[in-house]
Amino acid sequence: MTNKEFPIIETERLYLRAAAKDDAKDMLIYLSDAEVVNHMGLEPFKTIEDVWDEINWYNSIYNEGTGIRWVITLKDEGRVIGSCGFLNRQMKHYRAEVGYEMNRDYWGRGIAGEALNAVLRYGYTHFSLERIEALIEPANISSQKLVEKQGFIREGLLRHYEYTRGKFDDLYMYSIIKAEFK
């Protein structure tokens, strides 16, 4: 980390904070789950070292100013159950892309929506973002529903936008503008 202090976000049920090396065991649980990483363009993680690489990436985007990734913990449990944050931040254009993933044991409880809402609010308040984007595979219906519930609009299909795991992926482009955020 740099000298700047990593921000902590608190919601009704959650603490969002910086990832620490000690979180790797919790993170490996969901990052090694094929269903969790299926729509992320990643192979399931196999080792703690894979997770340390992910944590190092979180640190690098923060230090470079191109993004920020919070790990998600439930206040009453403390263990890491997912992450959410910004990447591809373009300060000159007041925009960033948002991403997230969650341990499958916690799907369907509104936790991802609570975390995403807090991260969006942070982006508009502290980064002065005007536009936040989400790139989502067409088959990832639950992620589409999650962002639509937050007010994102589907703008269109980006054909063969990414090359991951040996194939080209189409991605829907979603966005939400600051004035649309509730």
Side-chain angles (χ1 to χ4, degrees), residues 100-144:
Y100 43 81
E101 79 279 328
M102 175 130 332
N103 183 316
R104 193 163 21 129
D105 293 343
Y106 296 87
W107 288 2
R109 297 190 196 178
I111 295 168
E114 187 175 327
L116 179 58
N117 185 274
V119 166
L120 296 175
R121 184 173 316 291
Y122 188 93
Y124 290 127
T125 306
H126 297 280
F127 293 156
S128 301
L129 295 175
E130 175 61 20
R131 172 188 170 92
I132 298 174
E133 301 170 343
L135 298 171
I136 303 172
E137 289 184 3
N140 192 349
I141 305 298
S142 60
S143 191
Q144 292 171 49

Side-chain angles (χ1 to χ4, degrees), residues 28 52 60 67 83 88 97 106 110 115 145 149 164-165 172 179:
L28 184 60
W52 290 341
S60 73
S83 80
N88 300 324
E97 183 183 328
Y106 296 87
K145 287 179 181 174
K149 205 170 184 182
T164 61
R165 297 183 295 173
Y172 282 133

Side-chain angles (χ1 to χ4, degrees), residues 128-175:
S128 301
L129 295 175
E130 175 61 20
R131 172 188 170 92
I132 298 174
E133 301 170 343
L135 298 171
I136 303 172
E137 289 184 3
N140 192 349
I141 305 298
S142 60
S143 191
Q144 292 171 49
K145 287 179 181 174
L146 175 66
V147 298
E148 288 168 0
K149 205 170 184 182
Q150 295 291 330
F152 281 74
I153 304 294
R154 184 191 303 172
E155 296 181 331
L157 181 69
L158 303 171
R159 300 177 315 139
H160 285 209
Y161 192 73
E162 285 185 339
Y163 184 78
T164 61
R165 297 183 295 173
K167 65 179 176 29
F168 289 98
D169 295 322
D170 295 342
L171 296 173
Y172 282 133
M173 170 63 80
Y174 278 86
S175 73

Side-chain angles (χ1 to χ4, degrees), residues 14-15 20 27 35 76 78 87 90 104 125 130 158 161 175:
L14 310 172
Y15 282 121
M27 293 171 70
E35 263 192 86
D76 58 357
L87 60 155
Q90 302 289 322
R104 193 163 21 129
T125 306
E130 175 61 20
L158 303 171
Y161 192 73
S175 73

Side-chain angles (χ1 to χ4, degrees), residues 26-40 44 72 74 79-83 100-112 142:
D26 290 341
M27 293 171 70
L28 184 60
I29 292 168
Y30 60 85
L31 290 171
S32 64
D33 184 334
E35 263 192 86
V36 171
V37 301
N38 183 37
H39 298 294
M40 295 169 59
I72 302 167
L74 285 169
R79 71 185 189 113
V80 175
I81 60 168
S83 80
Y100 43 81
E101 79 279 328
M102 175 130 332
N103 183 316
R104 193 163 21 129
D105 293 343
Y106 296 87
W107 288 2
R109 297 190 196 178
I111 295 168
S142 60

